[in-house]
Amino acid sequence: MRQIRGGWLHCRSQMTVHLTVFTKQSGLCRVQKAMLAMVFRSAVTRYKGLWLPSQTVARAMSSSGVATPPYTTLAISRPTESITHVELHRPEKRNAMNSAFWSEMVTCFNELSEDPECRAVVVSGAGKLFTAGIDLMDMMNNVLQPEGDDTARISWGLKKKIRKFQETFSVIEKCPKPVVVAIHGACVGAGVDMITACDIRLCTQDAWFQVKEVDIGLAADVGTLQRLPKVIGSQSLVNELALTARKMYADEAKSSGLVSRVFADKEAMMAGALEIAGEIAGRSPVAVQGTKINLIYARNHSVADGLDYIATWNMSMLQTEDLMKSAQAALEKKSPKTKTYSKL
């Protein structure tokens, strides 16, 4: 964040110099100069968040050194006022998902869901790769040594644990704020479960994906088998990936629809993720969050049910001042990002 602030202050300083030179050479009267200065100060205050250099912000997003208390597996930052960056942060363990991670993700995204300042989320991984998936050594005690007096009670306890693990990624999907996930290097096992719960997926050219579960003797049970077919759209390809555990590389991930963009390196990808999140965050939160909720509902229901749901949704959500503000921006041939929308 210090880098971001430094870049912004430099930008503001340079603009002030240019304004001073312009007013001296323009022949404006004192009143006109004062009015111009007032407009400049107002614009600086209002739009400074839109002028942050995306590469500078991306470097700041990628440079967090430690997890953010109270979390031990996540680093949370705010690259801009309305965007939250959630970074998987166990680089020394290849961001493997230990028992703490499974509960911390739920806490984190439940808080983001209720945070009126947050309008978009970017998820990434620290270190050399996105994630190696489940931390097998850490999870062995949880899953492989279940407690219970008989088979029925052991099974009941195991189901509760599996449902708890499922919620770790379902909470991303339930979060009304759109989530952009940025993947570099390996995305293995539970990493695929996680990214399929996100709304927009980006990756680097060196990224690869692997539904690894059959190689460790189980069927994926926290989202991949349910979400990946709807993300990719090819049941044959999903079956191949899930049954053979083969790797899918960036070009195939792009052509199959798993990711929407491929970047040369992590820095370029993080800048791209921030740009997309900024486009989302600059629009009406009523419109954005309603769109995400209805997209997910439509995916899981018939067209008729989806149309009925959006009609019921919009009979109240159309009664918002955001509609008039956005319409005004369109009439003025301006971006909706030039308007200020109330928090939601």
Side-chain angles (χ1 to χ4, degrees):
M1 294 302 290
R2 195 174 300 162
Q3 287 179 329
I4 297 170
R5 180 169 175 78
W8 158 243
L9 291 175
H10 174 73
C11 177
R12 185 177 66 181
S13 175
Q14 291 296 103
M15 292 173 67
T16 303
V17 170
H18 291 310
L19 178 67
T20 303
V21 172
F22 172 76
T23 52
K24 285 182 178 180
Q25 296 177 352
S26 63
L28 297 175
C29 70
R30 184 179 301 175
V31 173
Q32 289 172 320
K33 290 178 180 178
M35 290 178 65
L36 183 60
M38 183 172 64
V39 170
F40 170 75
R41 286 194 296 271
S42 174
V44 164
T45 301
R46 183 173 181 181
Y47 296 115
K48 65 181 182 180
L50 300 178
W51 293 338
L52 294 173
S54 58
Q55 291 287 349
T56 301
V57 176
R59 284 192 291 271
M61 289 170 71
S62 305
S63 62
S64 51
V66 295
T68 306
Y71 304 114
T72 60
T73 66
L74 305 174
I76 313 298
S77 60
R78 277 280 169 89
T80 71
E81 182 180 353
S82 55
I83 300 172
T84 301
H85 179 212
V86 178
E87 184 181 52
L88 311 188
H89 208 282
R90 296 186 74 212
E92 73 287 352
K93 297 291 187 180
R94 301 187 299 169
N95 296 325
M97 302 171 182
N98 62 3
S99 54
F101 167 85
W102 296 92
S103 59
E104 288 181 2
M105 281 288 285
V106 175
T107 301
C108 175
F109 274 89
N110 279 337
E111 289 179 356
L112 292 177
S113 294
E114 300 298 324
D115 182 358
E117 300 287 347
C118 175
R119 294 189 179 181
V121 183
V122 174
V123 176
S124 70
K128 296 181 179 180
L129 51 82
F130 182 70
T131 179
I134 291 175
D135 188 331
L136 288 174
M137 297 303 295
D138 182 83
M139 298 295 290
M140 283 178 68
N141 290 335
N142 267 329
V143 178
L144 299 184
Q145 298 179 9
E147 298 178 354
D149 294 337
D150 56 27
T151 301
R153 287 168 177 81
I154 291 172
S155 300
W156 195 262
L158 268 176
K159 183 180 179 181
K160 288 174 65 176
K161 286 183 178 180
I162 293 169
R163 293 291 291 168
K164 182 180 178 181
F165 294 148
Q166 290 173 346
E167 184 64 14
T168 296
F169 302 142
S170 292
V171 75
I172 299 174
E173 191 172 78
K174 293 175 184 177
C175 176
K177 320 302 171 64
V179 180
V180 181
V181 62
I183 305 126
H184 73 289
C187 178
V188 179
V192 178
D193 292 282
M194 181 169 72
I195 68 169
T196 56
C198 298
D199 302 295
I200 299 171
R201 289 168 292 277
L202 314 174
C203 77
T204 55
Q205 190 63 56
D206 68 348
W208 53 273
F209 307 83
Q210 187 176 24
V211 184
K212 184 71 172 174
E213 283 80 356
V214 293
D215 277 357
I216 57 175
L218 59 93
D221 58 4
V222 289
T224 290
L225 302 186
Q226 293 71 38
R227 295 188 177 100
L228 188 59
K230 296 179 179 180
V231 168
I232 290 179
S234 169
Q235 189 66 51
S236 178
L237 179 57
V238 171
N239 293 348
E240 180 187 344
L241 295 171
L243 295 171
T244 68
R246 77 163 175 86
K247 296 178 181 178
M248 171 189 275
Y249 292 93
D251 290 343
E252 186 182 6
K254 172 70 163 58
S255 65
S256 69
L258 179 59
V259 301
S260 52
R261 299 192 199 178
V262 178
F263 294 84
D265 54 41
K266 185 179 180 182
E267 185 173 317
M269 176 183 64
M270 295 307 296
L274 181 66
E275 181 182 0
I276 293 172
E279 289 292 327
I280 293 168
R283 286 163 167 77
S284 160
V286 173
V288 166
Q289 294 179 38
T291 296
K292 172 173 177 174
I293 290 167
N294 276 275
L295 281 170
I296 293 172
Y297 185 91
R299 182 196 67 190
N300 298 330
H301 295 79
S302 69
V303 172
D305 286 345
L307 288 170
D308 185 62
Y309 191 80
I310 189 63
T312 305
W313 182 275
N314 267 354
M315 72 183 189
S316 56
M317 292 299 119
L318 287 177
Q319 301 180 64
T320 172
E321 63 179 11
D322 293 12
L323 187 62
M324 295 305 298
K325 289 180 178 180
S326 299
Q328 183 182 6
L331 291 172
E332 296 171 350
K333 297 183 178 180
K334 296 179 180 178
S335 167
K337 294 190 296 181
T338 61
K339 300 298 180 180
T340 300
Y341 300 101
S342 300
K343 297 173 183 177
L344 181 62

